[in-house]
Amino acid sequence: MKKLHKNFYKILLIIIIILGFLFLPTIAGLYAKIAWYKSVGFYSVFIIPFTTKVITGVVGFLLFTGILLLNFRIFNKLSKGRLYVSQSRQGTILEQPKEVGSIVRKGFTLLSVFIGLMAGLAISDNWQVILKYIHHSPFGTTDPVIGHDISYYVFTLPFIQLVVGTVFFLLIICIIFTAILYGWHILFHHYGQKVKYLGFFSLPFVPEAAKKHLTVLGMGWFLLTAFYLYTVSLPSLLLKRHDLLSGANYVDIHAHLPITYGIIGIALLIVLAGVYMIIRKKYGLWGPMLVLYVGVLILGGGIYPSLLQSFVVAPNELSKEKTNLERHILATRQAWGLGEVDIKELSGSQKLSLEDIQENQGTIDNIRLWDREPLLDTFSQLQEIRTYYNFNSIDTQRYQLNGEYQQLSLAPRELDYSNLPQRNFINERLTYTHGMGTAVTPVNQVTEEGLPFLYIKDLPPTSTKEKLNIKQPAIYYGENQNDYVLANTNSKEFHYPGQEENVYQNYTGNGGVTLSSPISKALMAINFKSYKIFLNSDVTDESRILYNRNILKRVRKALPFLTFDSDPYMVIANGELKWIQDAYTTTNRYPYSEEMDGTNYVRNSVKVVVDAYEGDINAYIMDKSDPLIQTYASIFPEIFQLAEEMPSAIKEHIRYPEYLFSKQTSLYTEYHMDNPQDFYNKEDMWTFPRLMSTTRGENVGPIMRRLIMKLPGEEKEEFVFMLPYTPQGKNNMISWIAARSDGDNYGELINYRFPKDSLAYGPQQIVSRINQKTEISQQISLWDQSGSEVVQGNLYVIPIEESILYVRPLYLRARDSRMPELKRVIVAHKESIAMEPTLDQALKSIFGTKEPAEKGTDQKQKGNDKQIEIGTEMKQAIDQANQLFEKSVQAQRKGNWTEYGNLLKELRNKLQQLQFNFSQ
């Protein structure tokens, strides 16, 4: 016996060791997750869901297992323990061996435990539904049909669906198991008897216990059905999607709604009939009751609504759905933040003057001349310095520099691990650990060579503006940082390339997780599947492992219940590099609201700020009125901060988010219409002007631009997100919308509308007119034929006063080069179009220059005469050059290469003459 005990413990120890090895990766992963959440101060985001999952999983397990076993026990009691006896054909009662009964009991117990485990796991996955129900906040708005607060649909309804769905599943299992058990009992206890009746409850050998037990379960089913129909099905009518609208339509309100109430009544009637049948011990009512229930479902749930739609609604759809359309429009605006759009009418007839341009000089000085792609190409040639650096994105921001409000383009210089000089564990994990600084340029300034003028450049980063000085330029957390690194080790960390030798500097921050013990090193080595973490001698007890370094992945892990914008942006705040990530609360359960991408309610309630060096995460609540963020703040009270706590150096750089603006402006093309009849007929549909990219040959989508401008009627410039609209099927501009980002005006939407009876040129029309202008098209063709490539930049729509100014930069680059240079700027206003080397010259070409003072009138007139004379000579020379160019093109098409060569020589001589005259 002692030997048996020893062998047992040996076997048990071996099993524990084997299980330990099998679960070691899971344990290591759990350790890495807990350590990371603690390091960023978001431990509650891990422990609260984890605890909730454990509790709900255990409760679900006990509930399912306990009820299934209780149901089995009730059956045993009602059948008087006769499950394990049978009756032979001769009528003899045969007692089965006790082992058979024991096997059945144990088998049923194990099956109940297994079902309980699966149910517990399924319930635990719904931790968000449970916690949001417990902590939910009211919306303060009720639906127009049933009268529930909107929070009922967002928080309560999912919880009821979870509970009722769980109980339904449990009832189904109980009914199936009970039927099987009684079937077993009937089959063996009445073995050999003939079945004379078709109805189960009419069979003479079905015991009273079976009828009573199954009747009770059936009553529970219909009672639960009535509850489900009232609490779930009725409100869900307001969440339906139809071709015309979202929400309950005429058929839902006048057919499905009353019929559902009728079905609820029938279900409760069946429950009462069940009580009657149990008391009277007569179960014949089940047949008629079920026929009535199924009949009402078929006739009322399918046939009647179809007839109502075909013969009542379809011929009079607008009049029948008018009220529901009004509800739909209002709910969509409220849910998507379009309920308070400020509408302002423009005259549309104003023609800008020189005085208008001068009064809006702040707008003119911030017109963007560097597009994202040309600027990235130029930065990559001038400022990447080494092949292992990469500019992944351009972030547009505004700064107050020396009293001027300026729009800047900022590009973080991050590491590109795929281009390291040698890829190995030491280089990728210990040596090359971080990016370095940024390149910054004003959007409108250009050097004499046609290159961007840099405020921050080179390595180490140097700034020409004091406010842009960077104290700590190392970027350990960014958009390109997808892998873990080991910092503060005995191995030197590469900081930046010096003129004579490389500069090294180890990490001194508090980011990441310390590897303070052999156990932590071992667990991290297992988690990251690299034994070198544990064995490398350069990794000390003071070393840190930095992981989850990609900004988007980092914030998603920290706040998994929020939705995030796809593009975080970097700002310089008090000499530190900070990432700002927009976060949203969303749901698809707002009654009557239109759905886009699986969402019909969205708020930009949170701004997340991540330090590029430390990796610190700070989540600021920007919209305290949002019930969803109120609910999450109640669940996780320690992780959110108020907007008032955001440092002013960061707050001055927050901007209206792109995802929200794109969805709102897309919906507004249709939901700007107030009148249900206009909405139904789509009489005033708008659309986005879409232009073809000259560099990629594809549609570039809506013309959304961030720019500094003075809005009509305002006194100073501000940072806005702007988008123009055109009528559907037409190219003229009908309106434009702006989202404000500065100060107390943050989040306001203003829609400026042109009169429908006046013409305001749209972007597509301006592009067509530019392409049709001979001087511009010939110059572009000439550049394209001389070993260079012309890159036509984005068209910028610049609202000034009550009119529109259009600006398009032109870049020139060698065909074998990635570095474009800004060569020309095209400006268009109404019928005037000018192309000049600079924006200032193009504006002067259209609007002229300011007259000097009265003194020196004769000198002024003399100068003007000279200017006119020179302008005439130049124009004649340009016309001659154009004629030579056209003749050369015709000769080329005819294949007359001799004439083609002679004409090119003449054209070259004429251009040289022009160049000489211009230089004089």
Side-chain angles (χ1 to χ4, degrees):
M1 193 71 177
K2 290 181 179 179
K3 187 176 180 181
L4 182 63
H5 270 274
K6 287 182 180 179
N7 290 335
F8 173 76
Y9 286 118
K10 286 180 180 178
I11 294 170
L12 183 62
L13 180 61
I14 292 171
I15 292 173
I16 292 173
I17 292 172
I18 292 172
L19 289 175
F21 274 109
L22 289 175
F23 285 98
L24 200 54
T26 303
I27 295 170
L30 187 62
Y31 169 78
K33 182 181 289 187
I34 292 173
W36 185 83
Y37 275 109
K38 285 185 174 180
S39 71
V40 296
F42 280 63
Y43 181 60
S44 61
V45 177
F46 168 79
I47 196 61
I48 290 176
F50 180 79
T51 305
T52 306
K53 286 180 179 181
V54 171
I55 293 173
T56 55
V58 170
V59 169
F61 166 74
L62 294 176
L63 177 69
F64 268 73
T65 305
I67 290 181
L68 288 175
L69 291 176
L70 177 64
N71 188 59
F72 181 73
R73 184 174 180 137
I74 292 172
F75 162 78
N76 243 349
K77 186 175 181 180
L78 291 176
S79 63
K80 299 177 181 179
R82 300 181 67 184
L83 173 62
Y84 317 115
V85 299
S86 62
Q87 183 174 347
S88 68
R89 291 181 183 274
Q90 290 76 25
T92 305
I93 302 299
L94 303 176
E95 188 76 29
Q96 294 183 5
K98 292 183 179 180
E99 290 80 0
V100 175
S102 177
I103 290 171
V104 171
R105 281 195 299 271
K106 289 180 180 179
F108 191 83
T109 301
L110 288 174
L111 184 59
S112 299
V113 169
F114 175 76
I115 292 173
L117 282 171
M118 294 299 101
L121 290 173
I123 293 171
S124 68
D125 285 338
N126 292 276
W127 64 270
Q128 276 204 58
V129 172
I130 297 167
L131 288 178
K132 285 196 288 187
Y133 171 72
I134 295 172
H135 296 271
H136 76 269
S137 298
F139 275 67
T141 303
T142 57
D143 76 76
V145 178
I146 301 176
H148 287 315
D149 187 89
I150 303 301
S151 62
Y152 181 89
Y153 298 88
V154 177
F155 304 117
T156 306
L157 186 58
F159 179 75
I160 294 176
Q161 287 176 310
L162 173 64
V163 173
V164 174
T166 301
V167 178
F168 261 131
F169 181 62
L170 183 57
L171 263 177
I172 291 172
I173 294 175
C174 285
I175 291 172
I176 292 173
F177 281 5
T178 303
I180 291 173
L181 290 171
Y182 280 115
W184 176 295
H185 174 72
I186 293 169
L187 178 66
F188 286 96
H189 187 61
H190 298 280
Y191 178 72
Q193 294 191 21
K194 294 182 180 179
V195 178
K196 297 181 180 179
Y197 302 93
L198 295 176
F200 175 81
F201 287 95
S202 301
L203 293 174
F205 49 79
V206 175
E208 175 69 20
K211 297 176 182 179
K212 183 184 295 184
H213 194 172
L214 290 172
T215 295
V216 170
L217 291 175
M219 289 166 57
W221 174 272
F222 282 101
L223 185 63
L224 189 62
T225 297
F227 179 77
Y228 178 83
L229 290 172
Y230 184 76
T231 60
V232 176
S233 295
L234 285 176
S236 295
L237 291 174
L238 277 67
L239 301 176
K240 291 178 68 175
R241 304 281 176 256
H242 303 282
D243 292 337
L244 180 62
L245 55 87
S246 295
N249 62 7
Y250 185 89
V251 171
D252 291 326
I253 294 174
H254 293 85
H256 291 128
L257 191 67
I259 287 168
T260 301
Y261 278 118
I263 295 173
I264 292 171
I266 294 173
L268 293 176
L269 181 63
I270 292 175
V271 173
L272 293 176
V275 175
Y276 172 82
M277 287 185 281
I278 291 173
I279 293 173
R280 298 296 300 271
K281 296 182 180 180
K282 295 181 179 180
Y283 302 92
L285 287 177
W286 271 113
M289 288 289 101
L290 290 177
V291 169
L292 174 64
Y293 183 80
V294 174
V296 172
L297 277 179
I298 295 173
L299 293 174
I303 296 176
Y304 174 63
S306 298
L307 294 174
L308 187 66
Q309 174 66 34
S310 299
F311 296 101
V312 177
V313 177
N316 311 281
E317 189 172 44
L318 176 57
S319 61
K320 297 298 182 183
E321 301 290 8
K322 182 179 179 180
T323 300
N324 296 315
L325 281 173
E326 291 174 344
R327 295 168 177 171
H328 172 58
I329 294 170
L330 179 62
T332 300
R333 288 182 172 184
Q334 291 175 339
W336 286 94
L338 295 170
E340 297 181 0
V341 177
D342 188 8
I343 299 173
K344 296 188 177 183
E345 302 293 338
L346 300 175
S347 64
S349 59
Q350 181 184 8
K351 185 172 183 178
L352 295 177
S353 64
L354 178 61
E355 287 72 22
D356 294 324
I357 299 298
Q358 292 171 340
E359 289 176 6
N360 289 270
Q361 196 60 46
T363 301
I364 300 299
D365 289 344
N366 285 285
I367 292 176
R368 189 171 180 174
L369 300 180
W370 281 103
D371 296 342
R372 181 182 182 277
E373 290 182 12
L375 189 57
L376 275 177
D377 289 340
T378 305
F379 277 173
S380 67
Q381 295 297 312
L382 298 177
Q383 285 295 306
E384 283 185 357
I385 313 296
R386 294 289 188 272
T387 58
Y388 42 79
Y389 285 125
N390 177 50
F391 291 108
N392 187 60
S393 65
I394 298 283
D395 297 318
T396 303
Q397 262 299 335
R398 75 282 200 197
Y399 292 81
Q400 282 284 355
L401 300 176
N402 301 328
E404 293 185 16
Y405 200 38
Q406 292 191 45
Q407 186 171 344
L408 309 181
S409 292
L410 182 151
R413 186 186 290 105
E414 299 193 53
L415 272 180
D416 183 359
Y417 287 94
S418 63
N419 287 325
L420 287 178
Q422 186 176 358
R423 299 195 65 179
N424 53 46
F425 179 80
I426 299 297
N427 276 351
E428 293 185 32
R429 308 301 180 196
L430 280 76
T431 303
Y432 294 92
T433 56
H434 57 276
M436 190 63 179
T438 67
V440 177
T441 178
V443 297
N444 65 320
Q445 293 186 29
V446 184
T447 66
E448 292 181 358
E449 296 79 16
L451 300 174
F453 185 86
L454 296 173
Y455 280 175
I456 298 180
K457 62 180 178 178
D458 301 337
L459 290 173
T462 57
S463 172
T464 61
K465 302 290 183 180
E466 184 178 353
K467 191 172 183 178
L468 298 179
N469 286 332
I470 303 173
K471 300 173 185 176
Q472 178 50 266
I475 301 175
Y476 281 84
Y477 300 87
E479 293 180 278
N480 224 26
Q481 313 302 318
N482 292 316
D483 297 315
Y484 72 91
V485 295
L486 299 164
N488 195 27
T489 66
N490 288 334
S491 177
K492 293 181 179 180
E493 291 182 47
F494 175 80
H495 200 41
Y496 61 86
Q499 292 183 354
E500 297 181 359
E501 59 182 17
N502 292 335
V503 178
Y504 294 86
Q505 180 177 304
N506 278 16
Y507 184 71
T508 58
N510 297 314
V513 176
T514 56
L515 300 173
S516 56
S517 68
I519 294 177
S520 63
K521 293 177 187 177
L523 289 173
M524 288 298 183
I526 294 171
N527 181 65
F528 289 103
K529 299 179 178 62
S530 176
Y531 64 89
K532 296 177 183 178
I533 296 176
F534 182 75
L535 298 178
N536 191 286
S537 59
D538 289 327
V539 180
T540 69
D541 292 345
E542 301 297 324
S543 298
R544 293 175 172 272
I545 182 167
L546 281 58
Y547 51 103
N548 295 327
R549 298 195 300 143
N550 177 274
I551 297 300
L552 190 54
K553 292 180 180 179
R554 188 174 183 81
V555 296
R556 279 177 176 166
K557 193 171 186 67
L559 300 161
F561 42 85
L562 298 179
T563 303
F564 293 93
D565 209 291
S566 60
D567 183 29
Y569 54 97
M570 177 175 277
V571 301
I572 302 172
N574 290 331
E576 298 176 341
L577 298 178
K578 303 285 188 179
W579 293 97
I580 301 179
Q581 175 74 65
D582 284 293
Y584 309 95
T585 53
T586 61
T587 182
N588 62 353
R589 292 179 169 273
Y590 198 101
Y592 277 101
S593 175
E594 181 65 13
E595 184 175 305
M596 289 185 70
D597 300 333
T599 298
N600 71 355
Y601 171 94
V602 64
R603 290 291 184 273
N604 176 218
S605 297
V606 179
K607 303 278 187 184
V608 186
V609 180
V610 181
D611 189 276
Y613 185 74
E614 298 282 356
D616 295 340
I617 303 174
N618 292 283
Y620 298 96
I621 296 177
M622 307 305 294
D623 185 358
K624 293 185 289 187
S625 65
D626 174 31
L628 277 167
I629 199 59
Q630 292 174 11
T631 300
Y632 287 128
S634 177
I635 298 171
F636 306 104
E638 299 175 358
I639 66 173
F640 291 106
Q641 302 175 59
L642 297 178
E644 292 77 13
E645 299 177 69
M646 179 183 285
S648 58
I650 296 175
K651 186 177 291 186
E652 65 186 23
H653 294 300
I654 63 173
R655 65 189 193 186
Y656 203 87
E658 183 172 346
Y659 170 82
L660 179 60
F661 190 63
S662 66
K663 298 304 176 187
Q664 287 177 321
T665 51
S666 178
L667 284 166
Y668 203 63
T669 59
E670 185 174 0
Y671 290 88
H672 68 275
M673 291 181 280
D674 296 311
N675 190 297
Q677 184 169 351
D678 292 342
F679 185 89
Y680 178 81
N681 295 322
K682 311 299 182 188
E683 289 183 359
D684 191 23
M685 283 288 291
W686 297 348
T687 188
F688 304 128
R690 298 175 183 270
L691 303 178
M692 193 69 68
S693 170
T694 57
T695 56
R696 300 191 302 271
E698 60 186 29
N699 196 304
V700 296
I703 308 175
M704 292 191 296
R705 304 283 186 248
R706 297 189 187 274
L707 48 96
I708 289 178
M709 63 168 291
K710 185 164 66 174
L711 293 171
E714 299 295 329
E715 296 182 356
K716 64 178 183 178
E717 288 75 22
E718 56 186 287
F719 192 56
V720 302
F721 211 172
M722 182 267 182
L723 174 74
Y725 286 116
T726 59
Q728 191 173 55
K730 296 183 180 180
N731 292 329
N732 61 291
M733 191 186 299
I734 189 68
S735 78
W736 56 275
I737 190 168
R740 309 175 81 173
S741 295
D742 287 355
D744 295 336
N745 296 323
Y746 177 85
E748 292 182 7
L749 294 173
I750 306 178
N751 180 217
Y752 294 91
R753 300 183 179 182
F754 293 105
K756 294 182 181 179
D757 58 353
S758 67
L759 174 63
Y761 285 119
Q764 292 158 308
Q765 292 172 322
I766 291 295
V767 169
S768 297
R769 294 185 63 235
I770 290 173
N771 294 335
Q772 292 167 4
K773 195 168 180 64
T774 307
E775 294 87 343
I776 296 176
S777 60
Q778 287 179 349
Q779 183 63 70
I780 292 174
S781 300
L782 185 62
W783 277 331
D784 273 335
Q785 290 183 7
S786 57
S788 300
E789 179 184 10
V790 176
V791 179
Q792 297 191 41
N794 290 326
L795 182 71
Y796 291 93
V797 183
I798 314 295
I800 296 180
E801 299 298 339
E802 296 198 8
S803 191
I804 299 292
L805 188 72
Y806 289 93
V807 177
R808 169 172 255 179
L810 292 184
Y811 310 94
L812 189 64
R813 67 183 174 196
R815 295 191 184 276
D816 56 352
S817 171
R818 284 184 57 204
M819 187 167 69
E821 299 175 3
L822 181 65
K823 282 300 179 185
R824 292 289 185 272
V825 178
I826 301 173
V827 174
H829 173 61
K830 291 195 176 289
E831 287 74 25
S832 302
I833 297 176
M835 182 178 74
E836 298 293 343
T838 67
L839 174 62
D840 188 52
Q841 290 173 327
L843 289 171
K844 287 179 180 178
S845 179
I846 292 179
F847 300 105
T849 57
K850 189 174 182 180
E851 292 289 338
E854 280 299 318
K855 177 169 86 168
T857 304
D858 294 339
Q859 184 68 26
K860 178 189 73 171
Q861 186 63 46
K862 182 178 179 181
N864 284 347
D865 292 342
K866 183 179 179 182
Q867 188 176 6
I868 293 170
E869 182 181 353
I870 294 174
T872 303
E873 291 178 0
M874 291 288 288
K875 187 177 184 305
Q876 291 175 353
I878 291 172
D879 290 341
Q880 292 172 2
N882 286 332
Q883 291 173 7
L884 288 170
F885 173 75
E886 291 293 341
K887 290 179 181 179
S888 66
V889 171
Q890 293 175 4
Q892 183 188 35
R893 291 174 179 171
K894 294 177 181 179
N896 191 341
W897 301 111
T898 302
E899 184 181 357
Y900 175 72
N902 293 332
L903 288 169
L904 281 183
K905 288 179 182 180
E906 291 183 42
L907 178 59
R908 182 179 61 186
N909 294 334
K910 180 60 67 176
L911 291 174
Q912 289 175 348
Q913 180 184 351
L914 276 170
Q915 184 178 14
F916 175 78
N917 292 338
F918 184 76
S919 63
Q920 297 301 310

